[in-house]
Amino acid sequence: MKRKSLIIHLIFMLVFSGLQSVNAQTKSVKPKPANPEPAKTSSEMAFNRSGTRTDILLEEYEKLIKDNPNDVDAWFGKANCEFLLKRPKLSVYSLHQAIRLQPTHAGAYALMGKIMKLTNKNDSAAICYELASQYEKDVYKKVDYKSFIIMKLIKEKKMQEAYNKIKDIYAVAPTNHNVAFFYAKMSNFFNQYEEAQKSIRKIEPDLQKKDLRESAKYYYELGYALYQLQRFDEAKPILQKIQFGPFKRKVDKLSAPYFYNLASTYAKFHEENISMMYLDQALRIDKDFTKAHLLKAELSKRNQDVSATIEHMRMAANNQPDPVKKLAWYDKIAQTQMEAGDYDGSLNTLNEAMKLKAGKIRASRPDPDTWFLMCLAQYKIGNHKEAIADIDDFLSKKIPVPASILGSFYFLKGLAAKGANDLKLAKEAFKSVLKIQTLIRDAAEVELIALSELKSLENEADDDAE
């Protein structure tokens, strides 16, 4: 028995740390000192001479099993050695023997789960880890086992199942940092913002002792939850201190300038309702955001009766003998009609301008701004396919234009394709915008997310959830 006791003690002391990852907050367990009494058997003397050689330890376990085939600890120790010696099949066999003798052996299930995971048998690994967590008494080890299962469910887009499991863990380990983080993240995913902010607040004193780059992901979940709860004054200082690395982009998307930029983009494409929605959000975040107030004032002037203004502008154009200046007046008239929401009138004016150039739009090579206005007018009156055709015609000519103009054509193409219910083409167009350095990239990203939701695609887990 003394030989068995010594071997089991040393195998756990020497190799168990390499078998199962332990949560960062788990307190290290100091091994008991080896038996100070001198070895009294030849087997003990041989074991002492072996040092840390796993193959010798394996032989000792095999001797124990030969003496007593029902020795659970010996089978488990043998499985540990075989795992370290990269003999997974033999290790699994030994684990089966240990589990046969003791069906509630948490360590055996955990090691088998690890082997299944390393051999890419994740379904089997999840079953093993579930059984390990069921029989494990140590809360921190339960957390480790459940974490694998949760991440697997997230990757499989089984978000509700993952949330249910993280809630179970949170109920027993609310101050575990990883548990609190995942609970907050999943709560935010399911719009349970109050729960999310509470979970991070509970561990906030510990976070203040961490390096900011290490604690940033926790603060982001807290800031995001407060933002969604419209507690902007609380969210702002939290989010401002993590504007670095991968979090900068995320934090920017929760700011007044971000929503103002979206509003400006949609205003350019005469989607006033969408623009006003984003302006309202910008002002909820920062009620003193001047640019948002100015754009709101601009939009309030749209869709007014400008018939008298148009009449005077037409008289000025008709009395202009210089063809170039006359064309400039037509462009102003078309733009004014566009601002007033008279898209048919704007398109007619632009067509009149084309006649002055003695040719159709495709042959006359008008300037990009005029071409864009014609495509926009087509889109606004519902001629989506015509708008797409004219945009493609422009793009095919590869006329040198600034990135902002090129991006606008692609974005308009995406809107028109969406209007024509060609979602594949719309996604392609919006993705083209993302490749161009332009301020409307944010709006293109919003559109792509919306298109994904239309196709019932789940949001993927963030990198920081790995």
Side-chain angles (χ1 to χ4, degrees), residues 165-445:
K165 288 194 178 294
I166 194 63
K167 281 196 286 189
D168 291 341
I169 300 178
Y170 183 73
V172 297
T175 57
N176 179 289
H177 290 184
N178 283 339
V179 172
F181 170 73
F182 278 113
Y183 183 61
K185 191 172 190 65
M186 295 299 292
S187 294
N188 278 330
F189 182 89
F190 284 103
N191 305 328
Q192 300 299 312
Y193 307 119
E194 193 62 45
E195 287 299 306
Q197 70 92 18
K198 282 181 181 178
S199 69
I200 302 299
R201 289 292 196 196
K202 190 169 290 188
I203 63 169
E204 195 171 11
D206 291 339
L207 297 181
Q208 293 170 357
K209 301 172 187 176
K210 289 177 176 281
D211 181 89
L212 191 55
R213 292 189 176 275
E214 185 182 353
S215 60
K217 67 179 185 179
Y218 302 91
Y219 284 122
Y220 175 76
E221 296 303 327
L222 172 59
Y224 180 83
L226 293 170
Y227 166 87
Q228 294 294 349
L229 291 168
Q230 298 195 35
R231 290 157 62 175
F232 301 118
D233 290 341
E234 291 180 64
K236 188 175 180 179
I238 292 170
L239 294 171
Q240 280 184 334
K241 66 181 178 181
I242 58 170
Q243 288 193 6
F244 54 79
F247 295 99
K248 178 170 175 48
R249 176 72 174 153
K250 291 182 177 183
V251 171
D252 285 346
K253 290 182 179 181
L254 304 179
S255 68
Y258 172 78
F259 288 102
Y260 168 77
N261 182 42
L262 290 178
S264 298
T265 298
Y266 284 100
K268 178 178 181 178
F269 294 90
H270 287 261
E271 296 290 349
E272 285 84 7
N273 290 338
I274 300 176
S275 183
M276 290 295 285
M277 176 185 73
Y278 287 126
L279 284 175
D280 288 341
Q281 181 62 10
L283 292 171
R284 275 193 290 269
I285 297 170
D286 183 354
K287 63 181 182 298
D288 298 321
F289 196 68
T290 304
K291 287 183 177 180
H293 286 293
L294 291 174
L295 183 53
K296 264 202 163 188
E298 250 183 71
L299 292 178
S300 67
K301 297 176 183 177
R302 290 189 178 181
N303 301 318
Q304 295 181 356
D305 184 4
V306 293
S307 54
T309 302
I310 295 296
E311 183 178 351
H312 289 296
M313 293 175 77
R314 282 196 177 279
M315 291 177 62
N318 292 335
N319 293 328
Q320 179 55 251
D322 186 334
V324 175
K325 292 181 179 180
K326 186 185 289 285
L327 281 172
W329 271 110
Y330 274 107
D331 285 341
K332 289 179 183 178
I333 293 169
Q335 186 66 56
T336 303
Q337 290 171 314
M338 185 79 70
E339 294 293 318
D342 182 8
Y343 305 115
D344 284 300
S346 180
L347 186 59
N348 291 333
T349 300
L350 289 167
N351 282 326
E352 287 181 44
M354 292 307 100
K355 291 177 184 177
L356 290 176
K357 295 186 177 182
K360 296 181 180 179
I361 183 171
R362 293 176 178 81
S364 60
R365 289 178 60 92
D367 67 272
D369 290 335
T370 302
W371 202 319
F372 177 79
L373 276 180
M374 292 194 70
C375 295
L376 179 58
Q378 292 276 26
Y379 162 69
K380 292 302 295 182
I381 63 177
N383 294 341
H384 300 127
K385 291 183 179 180
E386 291 84 346
I388 294 169
D390 284 340
I391 292 168
D392 283 341
D393 191 20
F394 173 83
L395 295 173
S396 69
K397 297 182 185 302
K398 297 183 179 180
I399 300 171
V401 293
S404 59
I405 294 177
L406 185 61
S408 294
F409 273 99
Y410 276 117
F411 190 85
L412 181 56
K413 182 178 179 180
L415 291 177
K418 195 170 69 166
N421 204 31
D422 189 341
L423 302 187
K424 181 180 178 181
L425 181 61
K427 288 184 74 171
E428 289 174 359
F430 291 129
K431 284 179 180 178
S432 295
V433 177
L434 296 183
K435 298 175 184 177
I436 302 170
Q437 292 301 318
T438 173
L439 290 173
I440 64 174
R441 291 178 80 255
D442 288 339
E445 190 176 82

Side-chain angles (χ1 to χ4, degrees), residues 107-126:
Y109 288 118
L111 179 53
M112 191 175 292
K114 187 177 184 71
I115 294 170
M116 295 297 105
K117 181 174 70 171
L118 292 174
T119 54
N120 295 319
K121 297 176 181 177
N122 289 332
D123 289 339
S124 297

Side-chain angles (χ1 to χ4, degrees), residues 2-3 6 10 34-49:
K2 189 168 289 186
R3 181 183 72 178
L6 180 61
L10 287 178
N35 194 332
E37 295 181 5
K40 296 180 180 181
T41 68
S42 58
S43 296
E44 287 174 337
M45 292 172 65
F47 183 83
N48 288 338
R49 288 195 301 270

Side-chain angles (χ1 to χ4, degrees), residues 440-460:
I440 64 174
R441 291 178 80 255
D442 288 339
E445 190 176 82
V446 168
E447 289 290 341
L448 284 169
I449 291 171
L451 286 170
S452 295
E453 289 175 350
L454 287 173
K455 297 179 75 174
S456 301
L457 295 178
E458 291 274 11
N459 289 331
E460 293 188 6

